Amino acid sequence: VTDYESQPLVPQFFSLALFWALSVMAPKRLRRKPAEVQQERSVWDVTAAWEVLDNAGSKRSHAGPMLRALAAKFVEGAGPRLWDLASAPEGCGQEEKQTSLGTQPISWNDLSVTEETLLGLGLSLRSSSAVLNVSSPACLQPIRKRISADGSTTKLVLKLRDGHHVETVIMRHEARTTVCISSQVGCQMGCAFCATGTMPVVGDLDATEIVEQVMHAHALEVAAGRPPVRNAV
């Protein structure tokens, strides 16, 4: 046990002053407002899928097969609808290219997901209708895409339901493709090359917003005829 009374006052003073300074300078984390309605959430988080199934009186065991089938539909059809695939550099030596998007939200119908699709997975008619009517395949809105000169990196800017922007980065290597996802609005690291890193910390993303970033990156790579995403960091 340290006997603080016997310690010099000057080191104690500087320690307290340093603690106070770090507390003042530390980024303030605010609590983001949760989604008010189910349509503001996608179903890519299993707990969100459970909620939809519970409300429709279906078993939670349907969530796994349902999510796998819906994810396959998203990867197959969302890329060309959400992202400008014609803007990718064809080779090295070109300048970094940026595309502003601001696309409209897509629906399950746009991805050819119907009640018959879900009925084929064993869901009841009521559950199938609930999934299509009270959930969305994409709650993150594509805003901007920036591709490096050599085509090895693509930065995606996505708009969250409350208006905040986050950045997702696709990094293409010789043997694998990796996606760097955002888990919060803002970051304490301060990396100059990352848009999220230059923002103050606002709050954490929910699970659906994190998973959907991977879905966007995966759909974009598949639509462009490149190897799918295999790693996430």
Side-chain angles (χ1 to χ4, degrees):
V1 179
T2 303
D3 182 7
Y4 285 99
E5 293 183 356
S6 64
Q7 300 297 320
L9 292 178
V10 173
Q12 292 185 46
F13 171 78
F14 280 110
S15 297
L16 291 173
L18 179 60
F19 176 79
W20 176 84
L22 293 175
S23 300
V24 171
M25 293 185 297
K28 303 300 181 183
R29 186 186 300 273
L30 306 177
R31 185 179 297 276
R32 293 180 62 216
K33 187 176 181 181
E36 295 182 351
V37 294
Q38 182 65 38
Q39 286 85 341
E40 292 182 343
R41 300 175 64 190
S42 61
V43 295
W44 305 125
D45 173 25
V46 68
T47 57
W50 285 345
E51 183 178 336
V52 174
L53 294 174
D54 288 345
N55 293 336
S58 270
K59 296 180 179 179
R60 291 187 174 186
S61 58
H62 290 299
M66 180 187 74
L67 290 176
R68 286 191 291 270
L70 294 179
K73 289 287 188 179
F74 187 97
V75 170
E76 291 172 4
R81 290 183 175 274
L82 294 175
W83 300 99
D84 179 13
L85 303 179
S87 63
E90 297 178 356
C92 299
Q94 300 188 32
E95 296 181 356
E96 181 178 73
K97 192 161 187 177
Q98 176 172 304
T99 304
S100 297
L101 301 168
T103 56
Q104 296 298 316
I106 61 173
S107 65
W108 291 118
N109 186 59
D110 295 327
L111 302 179
S112 300
V113 177
T114 63
E115 289 183 351
E116 287 71 21
T117 305
L118 300 180
L119 288 172
L121 298 174
L123 270 71
S124 66
L125 180 61
R126 179 185 176 188
S127 299
S128 301
S129 178
V131 170
L132 299 182
N133 291 328
V134 304
S135 68
S136 170
C139 291
L140 305 184
Q141 180 184 0
I143 297 298
R144 188 165 54 255
K145 179 179 68 172
R146 178 178 294 175
I147 306 173
S148 63
D150 62 0
S152 64
T153 302
T154 298
K155 297 180 180 181
L156 310 177
V157 177
L158 295 158
K159 183 179 179 180
L160 306 179
R161 52 178 167 73
D162 53 7
H164 294 293
H165 291 181
V166 295
E167 190 172 79
T168 305
V169 183
I170 304 171
M171 298 171 286
R172 305 177 186 91
H173 307 281
E174 186 173 335
R176 67 188 185 281
T177 299
T178 300
V179 56
C180 179
I181 58 178
S182 296
S183 60
Q184 58 188 19
V185 180
C187 180
Q188 300 183 33
M189 298 303 294
C191 302
F193 61 85
C194 177
T196 305
T198 61
M199 299 166 56
V201 179
V202 174
D204 297 327
L205 273 63
D206 62 36
T208 59
E209 294 168 326
I210 294 174
V211 173
E212 193 177 318
Q213 292 177 68
V214 181
M215 301 290 293
H216 276 277
H218 196 33
L220 176 60
E221 294 301 281
V222 170
R226 294 187 288 264
V229 172
R230 295 298 184 191
N231 301 284
V233 295

